[in-house]
Structure formats: C-alpha cells, structure tokens
Amino acid sequence: MSVYYHENTQTFHLTNGQISYLMKILPNKTLGQLYFGQAIRDRESFDYLLEMKYRPMTSYVYEGDNLFSLEHCKQEYPVYGTTDFRRPAAELLQSDGSRITNFTYRSHSISPGKPSLPGLPATYCESGDEAETLTICLEDTLLKVSLYLHYTLFADLPAIARSSRFENNSRQTLHLTTAMSLALDLPDCAYELLHFSGAWARERHMKVRRLEQGIQSVESTRGHSSHNHNPFIMLRRPGADENCGEVLGFSLIYSGNFLAQAEVDAWDTTRILLGINPFGFDWKLSGGDTFQTPEAVIVYSDKGMGAMSRTFHRLYRTRLARGIWRDKPRPILINNWEATYFNFTEEKLLSIAKTAKEDGVELFVLDDGWFGARSNDSAGLGDWNANPQRLPGGIARLADRVEDLGMQFGLWFEPEMVNKDSDLYRSHPDWILQTPRRSVSHGRNQFVLDFSRTEVVEHVYTKMANLLSQAKISYIKWDMNRSITEAYSVALPSDQQGELFHRYILGVYALYDRLHTEFPNVLFESCASGGGRFDPGMLYYAPQGWVSDNSDAVERLKIQYATSFCYPISAFGSHVSAVPNHQLNRSTPLSTRANVAYFGTFGYELDLNQLSPEERDEIRKQIDFMKKYRQLIQFGDFYRLLSPYSSNFAAWMTVSPDKHTALVGWYKILNEVNGPYRRVKLQGLAPDIDYVIDGTVCQGGDELMRVGLLTTDSAAGERQKGEPAAVDFDSRIFVLQAKNKREPA
Ligand code: DGJ
C-alpha cells in the first residue's frame, strides 16, 4: 500500500495493488481527478488524462487561453461558478452575498493509520499498517478558509474512505451551504445506477436505472436516513453481474438527511456527489470555526457486485462496528412486540420467556409499553420509569426473574421521542422541535425531542443510564418511529436554524457513544419503525439493526437480498413471526420463516405458548441449528445466487473462511406444476474440495460451482408416491461439509 506524490507533475497516486486513485494539481492549483479504478503501475506523469480542448460556449480560467476550463476537467472537490456549471461539492455564502470560492493547493501530509472523526461514526484501524491516510490542504486565500480533504486507503481492501473539513481562519462569518463528503468525476457514463429505495415495511428494494444526461439522485429530507432511500448507491457497467464486471459502490456513514447524486454532463462524464443533503443545510462558520463532514466510502470491484458487497461486509463488520459484540455470535432472542403489543403483565411476559427458554432462546426482549402511562401509542413516551401496574417490581425485578430463568434480558427505548400526554412533556413543553407560532405535526401521536440541545440529551442519558445501572439489562433496542417536521430549535439563533438536522443527529450519536462507552457489555440494536435508519452510521454504535417491521418471509427475501449489497449479515435483525403475518396477512411455512431469518441475527417475534407441540419441536430444532451455524452465517463470506427481483426463486449462501463449511439458502416463492429439473450454481467454494451435502451426497466444489447444486423438488414432473409435496413459499437449507481435500488434477 502506498501513497505516492510526484513533485514534478504534482500528481498523487494512492494504490494498494488492487485499486489506484489518481489526482493532480491543476494549472490554477485546484485539485483535479485523473482516475479511479483497477490498480495501475505508478509513474511520474499521467498528464495525458487532463483534458485541454477548445470548445465553443465554454468559459476558460485564464484570459488569452482557450484550453483550460474546469467544465472539462475532472475535479476532486468542485465548486460552482468558476467555469464549471455542474453541482458543486462545496458552497460558502459570504457576507457580501457572493458564493464564489477558489480552493487551491497549499500542502499535504501522509500518515499511517486513520484518524477518528470527532463526534461522528467512521471506519477505523487497529494498527498503523492497516491503512494510510493522505490529507490534502487546500485554501481559499481570499476568504482565509482551509479545506482539508482526507483519503484513507486500506491496505488489503479495494476501498477508500473520504471526508472533508473546513476551517475558517478569517474574522468573517461564513455560511457553509453545501459540504459533501465525496465528489468523484468519472470519464464516461456507461453505467447503470442502482439504489435501494422503498417505504415502511418494504425498505431497500433494489432499483436500477440507466445513467442519462442530467441529474439523478436519491435523498432524505426526513431527519433520518429513512425507509424511502438509503445512503448507498452503486454504478454498474451494463452486463456486470454478481461475478464479473466493473462496479463502484458509494456509501455514506451517516444517519441524517443525505444526498446521493449522479450528474451526467453533455460530454458523458459522470459526477457523483455524496454527503449531507444541501437542501435546507446552512452551517454558520464563524472565525475560528471548523466543520467536519461525515465519512463516505467508495469500493471498487472488477469482479462484479458480489465482490463489492464482500468488501463492504468486511470493512463494516470489522472496522466500523465496534465493541465486544463485534466479533461475537449474536444471542437468539424472543421479542414480545407481536406476541402482546401493549397488552401484557409481568406474568404474561414471564410465561413467554419461560417457554422460550425451554426451547433454547437466550435473550428475552421487552418491547414498547413498559413505562409511564403507555397503554397505547398516545401516552407515556419519554417517561422512562416502569409502569407499576404492569411491572410491580420495576424493570430490575423483571430482569432478575428473566435471568433466574437462565436467560438474558433486553429492553426497548425510544429515546428521541415524547408523547404530549407524558410527564416529560408537561415539565418541558419547549423541548420538542417546533416552529414558533405554527402548529406542530405529530407522527404516531408523538413529537421529536430537540436532540440538538445538550440538556435534552443529558436528561435522556440520565434516565437510561440509571436503568442500565440498576437492572440487569444486556441488550437495548433503540427505536425511532417518526420523521422530523417543523424542524426548528428554540435554542438556536435564527442564523443557525439550518444546522438543526445535523446537530440533531450529532446529539443522537453523542448519546449512543456515551452509553456504548459506559455500558460496553450491552448489545445495541438500532431500529426506526423497522428499517428507517438502517445505515452505516448506526452500525458504529449498534452492531445490528431491525431490518424491517415486515417479517413476512417472502417480502424479507427481497429486503434482505437488497440490504446485503452494502451491509453485513451480522447486522440483520431477522425474526420468525406468527402466521398469518401481521403485516401482509400471508401464511408461510414455519420452516421457510426460519430459513429466511437464519441469515441474520435470528430470533422470534411471537408467543411460543400459542404453538402446537409439533411446531415447538420444530422451533427447538431451529434454535439448535442456529446455535450450530450462527458463527458461519454471521461471520462467513456471503454470496447472492438467485435474485428474488428477477424470478420466482431466491438463493444465497455463506462460506466459512477456510471454505470447509457452507450453507445454502434456497427459496421458491410460488409452487409450480411439472416444472424444470433445477440446479443452482454455487460460489465461493474450493474447487478441489469434495463436499458432503446434508450428510448424504458428495460432490466436488468444482462441480457445485460449475455444474450446480440440484434444487429440484417434487414439482418437477409428476409427484411420486411418498415424495414430500412441494408447496408455495417452499425453501431449503443445504449444509455442505468438506469431506477431504482432493488432489488437484
Ligand atoms: C416499531 C418497531 O419497528 C417495532 O419492532 C416495535 O418496536 C414498535 N415500534 C413498538 O412501538
């Protein structure tokens, strides 16, 4: 891994043998982008990549020169209005009303490892040789504003982490109205844009569109990364698939309003911008102030989307997630939400926990409704004291009783919210976000606490920390059930209201960080009405997140398949729930519900007391199975095999690092009659190893990957006597175990 700087040509080259990233100081001393892609050998000059051409209707930087225009140069961190007309990475409003800036090269430094970003989630290193960081300092000399561009190259991953920091060294007060984490100009537009969009209960569905001249983007304006869009996009060459072709992934480590945008200009170049959404953003930068953007990560793959995903999985699972739970198999849990909703007593909860314990469940999670006057969703939110009618001995006694059963105890919170019918709101009506003299909208009868205020965060911290200190709580589910409206803080001056959304999320991060540090043994699971804040920012504090409120096995295939493009399987909160499913009213076999939920953290979202003895028997087997294979599932290498977006089938698999064990999940959505004789080609196995499939048939890794694993069932041809009937929503898990190593041919 090396970061080269060639003084004579003023060229930077970051390369680790897998990728190369090339930049050059342009004739006007701004920073240009030359290349990002598969590694190339280093040399002094790549100046042929600089475009210097005369074109009519072009504006040129220097009088008397008709060649150098920023419109036709690939740039590193572009600004608007100095010959480039595309959307900028930065914009600074000055006291004279001007927004024109000119950031030119001043210096750079190269250091081992990776510095942390104060107050923000970010990838990290555990030793200096894991990564190298290049920081380039640019300066607008007229404004006396420095701009630090940070680039971290990871030693053995085709990934670069980027962020920017602004420093106002003048006495003038400026307003930063755009500050992207990443800009990348690419020399052509022969790509498809993939994004992961949807809504509540159908989060992160994969969408594909061709890049065309103009702007295409996804964003959030809701105060959280949202169910509707995710801060992750991909560019894929037409024809690229899971195993081959060029793919670029762009991910923002942030949980608030974001923008991910691709702009194709008239000459087919593509500009990617990723960062805090400039819509409504306005950060006051007084003299001496600095502003640090969140971090963005770019991953390059020349071996298709699968390899890109495995890079993100490794980076985010091992160098974004933190704490003692990072590398530990996750406990199998039971959550009472869909079992009881708000209708429970301590005894009812204990009866669910006791049965679950008998079946092998390890963690009992008490969801919403345990506090204040919370007997439905219109009261009590914000009052984090146990309801004495429901829990006469408080949380501490319930936690003790659960622990006495031999299980761990987990608890639900929604720290950022309040009902008007609550003691908290009655004492602090000014603590909610609201615009003066205007009505304030509700979502699920609740209002958003002003987390930009330290006293508000402090109050919530004290309540949560007290409970965590008094009761044996091993897990916290941190929920967030509405988007932000009337975004305004009475604590901020008028010229800082544009900071609110970012300050809010910084408050959320601060509380998470404090609790995570003070209670390092607690496992946090993030949640926002399901997957409304399932993003890399959350992963830094909570190594797992509730993927979606939709736990229907068929819908989950699409959600989990698409979520796996960026996020590791160890982060997927996935449960078996009752049928008919509470979101879709669909009934799927218990086996399929588990076969989908295994690919995640696994748990149950139902009352096991309601099941038949046969179903209980099946549940016990499922739990034994998950205990045996969760290390492999949560920490193995994940491969997508068949997409539920393009057929009646889905399949995926996970392979152990030594390639000796693999699990294949195969799912058929609707049954067929007299269907084909089917097989699916596996991936990631060792070609020279023989694998025993489900303890019976033995096939070579080469065969399994090149010929395929037989997945056909009794729907092929006519069902024979004694053959199990194939049904709708059928599925199978295949366990592959290495038999012996075959000598290479
Ligand atoms: C939304 C979550 O996604 C659910 O799992 C549950 O915790 C409810 N909130 C409780 O109000």
Side-chain angles (χ1 to χ4, degrees), residues 337 342 367-368 374 412 444 477 479 481 527-530 546 549 605:
W337 180 241
F342 291 111
D367 210 279
D368 195 353
R374 186 78 167 170
W412 179 97
R444 205 193 185 202
K477 177 174 173 185
D479 207 347
N481 284 300
C527 174
S529 263
W546 186 222
D549 270 350
E605 187 94 13

Side-chain angles (χ1 to χ4, degrees), residues 127-196:
S127 68
D129 55 6
E130 285 183 3
E132 209 163 21
T133 299
L134 164 69
T135 300
I136 301 177
C137 175
L138 307 174
E139 189 177 20
D140 185 307
T141 47
L142 186 71
L143 293 180
K144 298 195 179 57
V145 172
S146 301
L147 165 59
Y148 295 88
L149 302 180
H150 304 290
Y151 300 83
T152 297
L153 175 68
F154 296 92
D156 55 3
L157 289 172
I160 290 181
R162 289 182 51 180
S163 72
S164 331
R165 187 163 62 87
F166 293 82
E167 199 176 271
N168 183 357
N169 302 311
S170 75
R171 294 216 180 110
Q172 183 186 173
T173 294
L174 301 161
H175 283 262
L176 192 55
T177 55
T178 301
M180 303 310 279
S181 301
L182 168 155
L184 184 66
D185 284 359
L186 296 163
D188 68 87
C189 67
Y191 292 106
E192 289 164 333
L193 171 71
L194 282 84
H195 56 99
F196 299 85

Side-chain angles (χ1 to χ4, degrees), residues 223 382 384 413-418 424 430-434 447-464 478-480 484 488-492 499-515 533 538:
W384 302 114
F413 283 94
E414 193 173 1
E416 301 151 66
M417 300 290 160
V418 67
L424 179 63
D430 60 321
W431 276 12
I432 62 169
L433 294 175
Q434 55 190 320
F447 299 84
V448 185
L449 287 172
D450 184 352
F451 261 50
S452 73
R453 292 170 70 170
T454 45
E455 67 274 31
V456 175
V457 177
E458 185 65 33
H459 167 85
V460 181
Y461 161 78
T462 307
K463 297 303 268 182
M464 292 178 79
W478 180 317
D479 207 347
M480 192 275 190
I484 296 176
Y488 187 98
S489 169
V490 292
L492 282 172
E499 301 175 11
L500 176 70
F501 277 115
H502 184 56
R503 286 187 181 275
Y504 175 87
I505 209 71
L506 291 180
V508 172
Y509 290 152
L511 180 59
Y512 250 123
D513 207 49
R514 204 161 160 195
L515 293 169
R533 205 160 60 183
M538 283 292 126

Side-chain angles (χ1 to χ4, degrees), residues 325 331-336 346 348-366 395-411 471-475 602-609 616 619 623 627 630:
W325 283 103
I332 296 172
L333 66 81
I334 187 151
N335 178 304
N336 75 307
E346 181 164 338
K348 170 85 185 159
L349 297 175
L350 285 166
S351 83
I352 295 174
K354 189 166 168 289
T355 309
K357 168 64 193 170
E358 282 163 20
D359 292 349
V361 173
E362 298 158 313
L363 167 70
F364 173 81
V365 178
L366 171 54
I395 288 296
R397 186 179 82 177
L398 176 63
D400 283 345
R401 293 179 76 185
V402 170
E403 289 245 335
D404 289 346
L405 293 173
M407 298 174 94
Q408 294 194 307
F409 177 76
L411 194 59
K472 293 184 189 123
I473 299 170
S474 307
Y475 160 108
F602 200 65
Y604 292 88
E605 187 94 13
L606 44 73
D607 182 354
L608 296 173
N609 296 309
R616 290 278 305 282
I619 299 270
I623 292 170
K627 285 181 181 166
R630 61 184 154 183

